[in-house]
């Protein structure tokens, strides 16, 4: 018995020695690391001092240092960034959705700067400006020749400061001088809330900024109050780049009951690791729910979609999300600068991290790589469904994205749809309600006449593929043997622009209707009109109208 305790004591002693040795190794490793940092900082400072003193030409210190910072940032992920004092407004906007300005979006080319969208209730809206108006000058400076950044800089500014502007009517050419006071523009996180049909609610969320959880909750409660027969809810997170993690938890809490894990964060600083749970009772934990995602749904959007999926609270419809499973924190730097640094990865309730690109392990060329499907691990939802990490949120019901035809893309890019909508607005004092407006056959014929003589040449995807084949065949010296057949095929595929307009008439008509509605009802009207032809929304409505199918997707 005594020998057992003696042996046991030796075992304990050995374990203690190993633990102490491990601690010593770690301490030594940390000490060694900090020595290397201090050493290289000294070398960097001395190098810059000598270079600045003896180099033949003057070196701008700010530019040189920023290049050094940019080189360091290349070793990190794209979300870790240095933010100088002059760019803090951008950081504030990402967190709050607020900025100082006049509330417009513009499009600038070599010939003109045209107002494309006006924020409802903004100074420009109050001043009577309309989409399609042309900006002639800003504070006495001619807008023609300025690039988009210059125009944007002049439009923004401290709330309360004046902006003198000259606008030109796009139809009459009449110029009007306006003096506008900039205000704090608060871009609402809910761009639209309404009903699709009689019984399905719809909320589109554009970003996760301060108080966005509260805004979504109010929109949902208002819809329930105004439509007591509501049978389902669609939360549209398509194109939503994310934002504040806390707000994502609050949005999830609207539909998920109290004390449910929504997301966990884990990083190098273990004291910062945290589980985020719902703190309040859900507004409605039972209403059938669909969340829409696409390739541009990222970050906080994926936290909400991931929680809804992992807790089997609703169905995800659309396309796979972006795959950003990283958390950023801002740290103060001297002279009011900031470091936005990735400090953790986040994990959905099932334990998966949906980060799609691995920045910690790079190729020999130094490029970060997408996590391959073979390396993605399986996890299970609360009900036992399989879900995977490493590649965003995969929908429960996949809907292929809608791709515009080449002719439609060209008409948008050249602003022909935009300009026709402006012309239509000045010819028609009023139109039907946004959701009910429709162009007549005569209107579409008029649009085709409007395009007469205008250049909207383009290559179809088939022509691009044929041209690629021709280039490859020439390189490989096969082209001469198939030249006749190639020419014959090229002639057969040669597109007729008017025929392309007719072939894609439905698509072009929808685009025209949305742009025209924007002239009368602004962004809210555009969204309302778009819902009538939105494939993902229509699929979501179909799922919510079929309880058996909805439940099957959750099994």
């Amino acid at each position: 018995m005594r020998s057992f305790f003696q042996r046991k004591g030796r075992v304990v002693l050995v374990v203690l020695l190993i633990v102490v040795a491990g601690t010593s190794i770690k301490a030594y490793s940390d000490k060694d690391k900090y020595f290397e940092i201090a050493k290289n900082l000294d070398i960097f400072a001395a190098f810059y001092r000598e270079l600045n003193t003896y180099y033949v030409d003057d070196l701008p210190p700010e530019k040189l240092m920023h290049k050094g910072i940019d080189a360091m940032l290349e070793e990190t992920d794209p979300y870790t960034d240095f933010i100088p004092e002059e760019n803090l407004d951008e950081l504030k906007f990402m967190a709050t959705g607020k900025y100082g300005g006049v509330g417009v979006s513009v499009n600038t080319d070599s010939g003109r700067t045209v107002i494309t969208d006006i924020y409802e209730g903004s100074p420009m809206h109050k001043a009577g400006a309309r989409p399609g108006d042309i900006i002639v000058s800003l504070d006495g400076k001619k807008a023609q020749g300025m690039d988009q950044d210059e125009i944007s800089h002049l439009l923004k500014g401290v709330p309360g400061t004046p902006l003198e502007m000259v606008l030109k009517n796009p139809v009459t050419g009449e110029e009007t001088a306006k003096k506008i006071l900039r205000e704090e523009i608060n871009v609402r996180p809910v761009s639209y809330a309404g009903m699709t049909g009689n019984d399905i609610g719809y909320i589109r969320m554009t970003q996760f900024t301060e108080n966005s959880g509260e805004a979504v909750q109010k929109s949902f409660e208002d819809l329930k109050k105004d439509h007591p027969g509501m049978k389902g809810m669609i939360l549209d997170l398509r194109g939503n780049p994310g934002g504040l993690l806390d707000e994502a938890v609050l949005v999830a809490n609207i539909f998920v009951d109290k004390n449910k894990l929504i997301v966990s964060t884990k990083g190098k600083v273990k004291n910062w690791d945290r589980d985020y749970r719902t703190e309040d009772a859900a507004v409605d934990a039972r209403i059938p729910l669909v969340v829409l995602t696409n390739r541009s749904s990222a970050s906080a959007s994926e936290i909400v979609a991931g929680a809804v999926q992992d807790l089997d609270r609703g169905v995800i419809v659309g396309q796979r999300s972006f795959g950003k499973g990283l958390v950023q924190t801002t740290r103060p730097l001297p002279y009011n600068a900031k470091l936005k640094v990735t400090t953790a990865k986040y994990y959905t309730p099932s334990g998966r991290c949906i980060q799609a690109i691995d920045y910690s392990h790079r190729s020999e060329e130094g490029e970060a790589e997408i996590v391959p499907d073979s390396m993605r691990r399986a996890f299970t939802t609360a009900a036992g469904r399989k879900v995977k990490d490493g590649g965003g949120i995969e929908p429960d019901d996949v809907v292929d994205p809608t791709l515009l035809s080449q002719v439609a893309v060209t008409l948008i890019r050249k602003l022909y749809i935009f300009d026709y909508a402006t012309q239509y607005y000045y010819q028609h004092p009023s139109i039907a309600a946004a959701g009910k407006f429709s162009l007549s056959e005569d209107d579409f014929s008029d649009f085709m006449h409007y395009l007469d003589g205008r250049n909207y040449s383009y290559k179809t995807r088939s022509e691009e593929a044929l041209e690629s084949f021709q280039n490859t065949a020439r390189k490989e010296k096969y082209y001469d043997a198939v030249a006749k057949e190639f020419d014959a095929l090229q002639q057969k595929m040669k597109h007729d622009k008017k025929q392309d307009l007719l072939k894609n008439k439905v698509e072009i008509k929808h685009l025209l209707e949305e742009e025209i509605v924007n002239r009368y009802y602004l962004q809210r009207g555009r969204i309302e009109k778009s819902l009538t032809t939105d494939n993902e929304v229509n699929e979501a409505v179909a799922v919510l109208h079929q309880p058996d199918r909805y439940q099957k997707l959750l099994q």
Side-chain angles (χ1 to χ4, degrees):
M1 197 70 171
R2 183 179 174 185
S3 61
F4 169 78
F5 282 113
Q6 286 174 336
R7 287 197 302 273
K8 186 176 178 183
R10 285 198 295 271
V11 171
V12 172
L13 179 61
V14 170
V15 171
L16 284 171
L17 286 172
I18 290 171
V19 171
V20 171
T23 305
S24 300
I25 290 168
K26 184 179 186 304
Y28 179 77
S29 176
D30 286 345
K31 184 179 178 182
D32 192 48
K33 180 180 177 182
Y34 289 122
F35 170 74
E36 286 295 319
I37 292 171
K39 182 181 83 172
N40 283 284
L41 285 173
D42 284 346
I43 292 171
F44 182 85
F47 177 84
Y48 176 72
R49 184 173 60 249
E50 297 299 312
L51 184 67
N52 184 63
T53 303
Y54 296 110
Y55 185 69
V56 63
D57 295 321
D58 283 338
L59 297 170
E62 186 177 17
K63 185 177 180 182
L64 215 59
M65 289 300 162
H66 279 200
K67 281 192 174 182
I69 290 171
D70 289 342
M72 281 191 279
L73 291 173
E74 285 178 9
E75 298 300 313
T76 67
D77 58 60
Y79 314 109
T80 296
D81 199 8
F82 168 70
I83 304 170
E85 183 179 14
E86 59 268 24
N87 292 346
L88 286 181
D89 282 347
E90 295 176 20
L91 187 65
K92 178 187 173 185
F93 175 70
M94 286 190 289
T96 66
K98 298 175 182 177
Y99 70 95
V102 295
V104 292
S105 297
V106 299
N107 181 284
T108 299
D109 58 30
S110 57
R112 62 179 182 170
T113 295
V114 61
I115 296 173
T116 55
D117 283 285
I118 296 178
Y119 198 69
E120 192 172 353
S122 68
M124 287 290 275
H125 187 216
K126 295 172 190 172
R130 302 300 304 175
D133 286 353
I134 298 164
I135 298 176
V136 177
S137 66
L138 296 167
D139 281 340
K141 300 174 184 175
K142 286 197 172 183
Q144 189 171 3
M146 288 188 187
D147 62 29
Q148 194 104 355
D149 287 341
E150 288 178 283
I151 296 288
S152 179
H153 180 72
L154 287 169
L155 291 171
K156 292 178 180 177
V158 178
T161 57
L163 174 65
E164 293 186 358
M165 176 185 299
V166 175
L167 295 178
K168 182 165 76 172
N169 184 293
V171 174
T172 66
E174 181 183 353
E175 294 187 1
T176 306
K178 294 181 181 291
K179 186 173 183 178
I180 298 171
L181 285 181
R182 297 180 180 90
E183 295 178 10
E184 183 176 76
I185 307 298
N186 186 1
V187 179
R188 291 185 290 268
V190 174
S191 58
Y192 181 85
M195 300 295 290
T196 59
N198 297 321
D199 56 359
I200 304 298
Y202 173 90
I203 294 175
R204 178 174 293 186
M205 197 181 175
T206 56
Q207 56 193 351
F208 286 80
T209 49
E210 287 178 1
N211 303 316
S212 55
E214 183 182 329
V216 175
Q217 180 171 328
K218 185 178 186 311
S219 296
F220 179 59
E221 288 174 337
D222 288 346
L223 287 174
K224 286 191 69 176
K225 180 182 175 183
D226 296 339
H227 304 275
M230 190 164 67
K231 295 179 181 176
M233 186 68 216
I234 300 170
L235 178 62
D236 192 348
L237 299 179
R238 292 174 299 174
N240 187 320
L244 302 179
L245 183 150
D246 288 331
E247 297 297 332
V249 177
L250 291 173
V251 170
N253 197 176
I254 297 167
F255 306 103
V256 176
D257 253 333
K258 187 175 182 178
N259 203 32
K260 294 289 187 181
L261 178 65
I262 300 300
V263 64
S264 303
T265 59
K266 298 175 185 177
K268 184 190 292 184
V269 183
K270 297 304 176 186
N271 288 341
W272 291 359
D273 290 356
R274 184 178 166 189
D275 290 342
Y276 292 81
R277 295 180 176 274
T278 50
E279 295 184 356
D280 300 311
V283 176
D284 193 330
R286 302 180 69 84
I287 189 169
L289 174 67
V290 166
V291 177
L292 298 181
T293 62
N294 65 8
R295 292 299 298 174
S296 300
S297 305
S299 186
S301 294
E302 295 173 293
I303 289 175
V304 173
V308 168
Q309 188 174 61
D310 283 5
L311 298 172
D312 299 297
R313 176 58 190 88
V315 172
I316 312 301
V317 172
Q319 298 95 48
R320 185 191 290 190
S321 65
F322 182 81
K324 179 179 180 288
L326 306 175
V327 181
Q328 284 73 49
T329 305
T330 56
R331 304 291 299 168
L333 296 174
Y335 300 99
N336 295 321
K338 299 278 187 183
L339 167 64
K340 181 165 72 75
V341 56
T342 297
T343 53
K345 294 180 180 178
Y346 71 76
Y347 299 81
T348 66
S350 66
R352 56 182 170 144
C353 178
I354 51 84
Q355 176 63 27
I357 300 177
D358 186 359
Y359 294 102
S360 56
H361 299 93
R362 298 174 182 261
S363 66
E364 292 181 0
E365 292 77 27
E367 295 293 323
E369 297 181 338
I370 294 174
V371 176
D373 285 343
S374 60
M375 298 294 290
R376 297 177 65 200
R377 297 175 299 163
F379 295 77
T380 55
T381 69
R385 293 186 298 147
K386 284 189 177 180
V387 289
K388 288 187 175 181
D389 69 356
I393 304 295
E394 293 187 48
D396 305 304
D397 183 8
V398 177
V399 180
D400 291 333
T402 302
L403 299 176
L404 293 177
S405 63
Q406 290 295 88
V407 62
V409 170
T410 303
L411 293 173
I412 292 170
R413 184 172 52 82
K414 288 184 173 288
L415 296 183
Y416 292 148
I417 286 177
F418 181 89
D419 287 339
Y420 181 80
T422 301
Q423 176 181 293
Y424 187 97
Y425 171 75
Y426 283 100
Q427 291 173 350
H428 299 81
S430 63
I431 61 171
K436 295 180 179 179
F437 171 71
S438 177
L439 278 177
S440 67
E441 290 298 316
D442 288 343
D443 288 332
F444 191 80
S445 296
D446 185 57
F447 175 66
M448 291 184 68
H449 290 311
Y450 168 82
L451 293 175
D452 286 344
R454 287 179 166 83
N455 175 30
Y456 56 102
S457 59
Y458 55 92
K459 290 180 182 176
T460 64
R461 292 184 180 90
S462 298
E463 286 175 314
E464 288 174 350
L466 201 60
E467 187 176 296
S468 176
F469 166 77
Q470 182 185 40
N471 293 334
T472 303
R474 287 186 188 280
K475 287 177 184 176
E476 296 180 350
K477 297 184 170 51
Y478 289 119
Y479 179 72
D480 291 343
V482 297
K484 286 185 179 179
E485 290 86 347
F486 179 88
D487 290 341
L489 183 60
Q490 194 173 41
Q491 286 302 313
K492 283 183 180 180
M493 291 177 59
K494 193 171 185 179
H495 63 276
D496 181 292
K497 290 193 295 184
K498 284 205 170 180
Q499 283 303 312
D500 280 356
L501 286 175
L502 293 172
K503 186 166 56 177
N504 297 285
K505 176 181 175 181
V506 173
E507 173 188 76
I508 295 168
K509 187 168 174 282
H510 290 158
L511 293 169
L512 281 166
E513 287 167 350
E514 289 174 29
E515 193 61 57
I516 289 169
V517 163
N518 185 49
R519 295 295 180 280
Y520 297 86
Y521 303 108
L522 301 182
Q523 185 189 42
R524 180 180 173 80
R526 185 200 291 271
I527 295 171
E528 185 178 349
K529 180 59 191 172
S530 72
L531 295 181
T532 60
T533 57
D534 191 313
N535 288 341
E536 285 99 321
V537 171
N538 290 334
E539 175 67 7
V541 170
V543 168
L544 290 168
H545 277 158
Q546 301 172 58
D548 290 345
R549 184 182 172 198
Y550 178 85
Q551 290 301 327
K552 190 175 181 181
L553 287 167
L554 292 175
Q555 292 173 358

